[in-house]
Amino acid sequence: MMTSDSISSGSVAGLGPSSVESLIRVALRYNGLFLNVEKDEIDMRSPVSVEVKAFVSRLNEIGFSISEELLHALNGLTCEMLASITQVIENIMGVNLNWAPLIKGWDVPTGDSRYAVLGVYFSNDFAGGRLRDSKEGPILQCGHLIPKDLFTLERYNGCPYCGKPFETADFIYIGQGSVLKELRLLTPADMHEIFNSLLGSPAPLDATMRDSLEKLLKIFPLPQNFRIEMKETAMLVIDTLVRLGRESEALALIKTPTDILRYLWYKKTGYVQIIRPRTILDATRKSANRTEFYYNRGTVRRDAKKRELRLKYNRRECLRVARWLNALPLPARQAAEMMHTHRGMWVRMIRALRLGEYSRKKGFEHLAEILDVFYKEKYSTWQGRVDRACEAGDADKTLELLKERPGVFARCLFAMMMRFGAQRVLAAFSEISDSLPLRLLISLSNAAEVYFIPSMIRMCRPSIGKRIPIPFNRKLYYLSPKERQDMANAVENICRESITRRFASSVPERSIGESATIYIEPCLYEIPVSVADRTTSIQSTSDALMGMSIPVEGDTVRIFLHWGEGLPAQLMNMDIACRVIMEDGREDDCYSFNFKCVGAMHSGDIGGIPDKVGTVEYIDLSLPELDAAGAKYVIFVGNAYDVGPELTDPVMGWMNSANPMKISEETGVAYDPSCVRHFVRIRSEYLLKGMAFGVLEVSKRRIIWMELPYMSRSLYGLKSNWVNSLLERLSNKMSVGELLDLKASAQGLTKVDDPDSATESYTCEWALNPAAVSVLLG
């Protein structure tokens, strides 16, 4: 049996405590627990020790069970190792944080009027302190005078006026959950497989997968001659290799000037996409403008961000970039044409990196040629030629040019169909459809459902910022409904035929007469293929896909928002809220100024955080009450009402259980990690002001995980039609089950109902690994 300090084949030598912790955190996202053991060395008949039984019991209390293989593998660990694993999992689940809300026993209304805050305002501020001098009531720790009979102060953990907490709780509930998440054993070989799947993902990585890859890159070496499909993934790898001093390996991943600019901008901003400085500055200003009383805060933060984005490089960094550009295997004209897309950024980069100086040195002749062609503009851009042909109405020349770059052709396909006619454009597109990535074909098929419907609201999610509604093409008015539907069907048919041909060309070798079978779990038909929906939140446990439906057990759903972990005590106001949408279209909101609405109860509005342990707000949703009131949807929302730049990543999620979930009458604590069904950690740099993170479908008793940020510090800024549009788009997307049906048809696989007897088995547990699902797109 190997311990965490041992060396095994396929593992990394000398795993330290920080590396083991990183591997445990990544494994938990794949419903596993990492142990540095070999599976063939596990004694499956070994008796379970008392220490392991205690460890398993503790995991059960916070919502986890373990497989039999993992149970016997744990026998080889010492008490100290088991304790360290327990501590890591408890930290992930927030066991040691403060989970006390503002109101004690908040499931019972306090009876305080919502207008009572006006009485406190008049007593403290409006009357100029004259009423404070009369001392008609207690003065709280925050300095506010609370007049008699306005609030039942014994029901509060803090000030009912400003929301500053005075009391915290050092306990949580455990073991109330009715469903335990089973953890399986993940060995170093399994972690290597996860590492390789993330490196080779043919689809862009979301925030969770990027965070996992960054952790694994610090532990595992880069495989030799490994092909990285996505440029964004390559940036993460290049950055890690440069920090480790392995610049020669990083050079092998750089193919174009855009790769270099992407790396430089990633180092400066942290974004793997090339986002223009003006976009970042505008987003910073808008995100910082919280209230009219602090109208200049956005300007101050924008100026600070502008100073942060100033380009300043030392000689070593300048020489590195000069060598990279000089070593590019591209002709100077082609390199300069690629640089033209971000010409303004390149002009500033060249000056800051002193590339002109290096271009005059011996051995940098190719760099000098690139800069000469770039500055004198001795090139013509491909996009310019397309624009000129398009403006001249030359359809043949435009389509011939577009066929040279299939990816660009796919992105402007619908616009070209409206300009030059569907039949001619689709005939040209079908010639190059097989050279497109599978993920792009799926995106086209999904987009065709909504593009040709004028009444459909299309939403665009920029790399940074809120989702933006896109107006429909006005030329759609000149087409009949049948013509529009025929165009959408034609695009879908081309995409599906190309996908089928792709699967048919990759049939695995089989023995003569061997029949291949496939099992597709029914739940996969409700999970959309995760394409063009990169989430910006980090999921600490199972990595759910955008649009995935999670069933609800019991009659209560408890949503929560926790923030301020690790920060000193200060004013920092975030809000949890929900919107109930009825079948007849009526809406009712539960938020910081309305603690009770139909089927929902709020735990109280907190405006500050205690020292280091954070604070929380809850909302309880009663499904029987919602059913009786005719509710259709409930939208879960978190808002950054008034926070500073020190905000750490807040946690949003929900709990439910077939067993009743308690609420403490003494502290108001209502958190139980065993009842948590899903929670995410929102990256503070992506939290603009508000985010809708889930939708409860009342009649179907299920919650759809989603991520819809918007630029408003309150629930009122959320447009319900935006949520409806996103839900409709997610429902219209090709599901994982439909994609597997195309694979089965193309490869001659027979569908069976038994996963154990199938040649290929695809289950919901498999779908929880987005990297594994993305292998289908390769």
Side-chain angles (χ1 to χ4, degrees), residues 414-426:
F414 300 149
M416 291 296 106
M417 290 170 63
M418 300 304 298
R419 179 182 286 267
F420 296 123
Q423 186 174 358
R424 173 187 290 185
V425 173
L426 289 177

Side-chain angles (χ1 to χ4, degrees), residues 56-90:
V56 173
S57 176
R58 181 56 178 167
L59 287 186
N60 293 160
E61 291 175 344
I62 58 178
F64 296 99
S65 64
I66 63 175
S67 65
E68 183 178 359
E69 183 182 42
L70 177 57
L71 177 66
H72 291 284
L74 289 168
N75 279 328
L77 302 187
T78 64
C79 293
E80 292 76 12
M81 294 176 185
L82 292 173
S84 63
I85 294 174
T86 304
Q87 184 178 6
V88 172
I89 297 178
E90 288 183 347

Side-chain angles (χ1 to χ4, degrees), residues 503-731:
F503 280 130
S505 64
S506 59
V507 178
E509 295 183 3
R510 306 189 188 107
S511 303
I512 298 177
E514 180 185 2
S515 60
T517 57
I518 185 172
Y519 170 76
I520 306 174
E521 194 166 350
C523 68
L524 298 180
Y525 292 94
E526 297 183 0
I527 301 176
V529 178
S530 183
V531 173
D533 283 319
R534 283 174 288 182
T535 57
T536 57
S537 58
I538 294 180
Q539 303 175 46
S540 299
T541 54
S542 56
D543 191 1
L545 298 169
M546 183 84 154
M548 178 178 286
S549 299
I550 302 175
V552 171
E553 293 204 355
D555 292 331
T556 302
V557 172
R558 181 170 297 161
I559 61 176
F560 61 88
L561 168 62
H562 190 283
W563 74 97
E565 177 185 354
L567 295 178
Q570 58 185 292
L571 293 178
M572 182 175 287
N573 192 356
M574 297 195 70
D575 295 318
I576 189 75
C578 71
R579 172 168 294 167
V580 181
I581 302 177
M582 306 298 178
E583 292 284 357
D584 57 7
R586 292 180 296 113
E587 297 180 356
D588 199 1
D589 296 337
C590 180
Y591 61 108
S592 55
F593 292 104
N594 185 31
F595 292 168
K596 182 74 173 74
C597 80
V598 56
M601 174 68 77
H602 199 288
S603 66
D605 180 35
I606 291 183
I609 56 173
D611 191 50
K612 303 298 182 182
V613 292
T615 191
V616 66
E617 290 183 11
Y618 306 92
I619 290 180
D620 258 11
L621 300 172
S622 173
L623 272 65
E625 287 186 37
L626 292 169
D627 274 327
K632 182 179 181 181
Y633 294 127
V634 182
I635 305 171
F636 308 158
V637 175
N639 290 102
Y641 186 85
D642 191 9
V643 298
E646 295 182 352
L647 174 67
T648 53
D649 302 342
V651 175
M652 304 176 186
W654 65 84
M655 298 180 281
N656 65 80
S657 172
N659 306 320
M661 297 183 292
K662 297 179 182 179
I663 297 176
S664 171
E665 296 181 3
E666 297 180 358
T667 62
V669 169
Y671 180 71
D672 186 338
S674 68
C675 298
V676 173
R677 288 295 160 261
H678 191 64
F679 73 102
V680 295
R681 189 173 293 274
I682 307 296
R683 300 291 292 269
S684 56
E685 62 265 28
Y686 290 106
L687 183 62
L688 304 177
K689 288 185 180 179
M691 179 175 290
F693 62 94
V695 175
L696 167 64
E697 291 187 298
V698 179
S699 61
K700 296 182 179 180
R701 298 291 182 102
R702 67 180 187 178
I703 297 173
I704 300 174
W705 151 244
M706 58 183 290
E707 187 177 302
L708 177 60
Y710 59 95
M711 289 292 294
S712 177
R713 61 192 180 93
S714 70
L715 179 62
Y716 289 119
L718 175 66
K719 306 298 182 184
S720 298
N721 59 344
W722 294 355
V723 179
N724 292 332
S725 174
L726 180 58
L727 289 175
E728 191 164 356
R729 186 174 67 82
L730 289 172
S731 64

Side-chain angles (χ1 to χ4, degrees), residues 123-135:
S123 300
N124 289 269
D125 302 315
F126 184 77
R130 291 191 298 274
L131 296 180
R132 287 178 58 88
D133 295 338
S134 66
K135 296 185 178 180

